[in-house]
Amino acid sequence: MNTERPINPRFDDDLHFNLVKPGPPRYQTRTEKPVRYFEVADRENGLILGYVWAGDEDDAAAWEPRQAAGPRALMEGLGWFNRLEKAKGRGIRPSEAIEEMLAEPATGKYGRALPDSLTDAPNAAAVKALAKGD
């Protein structure tokens, strides 16, 4: 009696994915051009969770979680990412999107934008380095 199970020949078939529709419009998530960013602080303890940055020259904006803030910073990103996606869907520039976010500081799940923290950076990599290194 043979106990070996037969191998399904379909395992060797090529897979084909057909894009049904394009996803929602999104800002670029990288830029080497100057950006502006603001801090997002935890509502409970004031710990900086991360940074939202934006640059109009490359139509770029993103959430950068602060590594030292741990998992809470990663979870916080979903709310800011969704706000950026909706702003892009409305066709506004990245700088306008972060101005809107600063106008409504309590927009994240755990955090809030710090209105007086808007700062310039030479590029998105500088904000990423800030998030990883403090």
Side-chain angles (χ1 to χ4, degrees):
M1 172 178 235
N2 189 355
T3 59
E4 192 174 312
R5 292 173 43 170
I7 297 174
N8 187 333
R10 295 198 68 193
F11 287 154
D12 290 329
D13 287 355
D14 289 335
L15 295 176
H16 298 277
F17 296 99
N18 296 319
L19 184 62
V20 176
K21 63 177 186 174
R26 293 191 175 123
Y27 297 117
Q28 298 297 314
T29 57
R30 294 185 198 160
T31 182
E32 293 301 320
K33 307 279 179 17
V35 298
R36 301 198 83 201
Y37 70 94
F38 62 83
E39 297 174 331
V40 175
D42 193 310
R43 287 184 223 167
E44 291 179 13
N45 58 21
L47 177 74
I48 301 301
L49 296 172
Y51 309 92
V52 177
W53 62 262
D56 289 343
E57 288 186 59
D58 284 337
D59 195 39
W63 161 259
E64 200 61 56
R66 186 170 161 251
Q67 197 168 37
R72 195 168 178 116
L74 291 173
M75 292 185 296
E76 178 68 12
L78 184 59
W80 298 100
F81 174 79
N82 286 335
R83 294 271 321 261
L84 289 169
E85 190 174 87
K86 287 177 183 177
K88 177 64 175 174
R90 292 193 332 266
I92 65 173
R93 293 185 335 230
S95 61
E96 293 171 318
I98 64 171
E99 287 171 15
E100 283 183 359
M101 291 178 188
L102 286 169
E104 286 184 40
T107 56
K109 182 172 182 174
Y110 304 109
R112 62 182 178 80
L114 295 179
D116 295 333
S117 67
L118 189 61
T119 309
D120 295 322
N123 53 42
V127 180
K128 184 178 245 114
L130 178 65
K132 284 186 177 183
D134 42 54

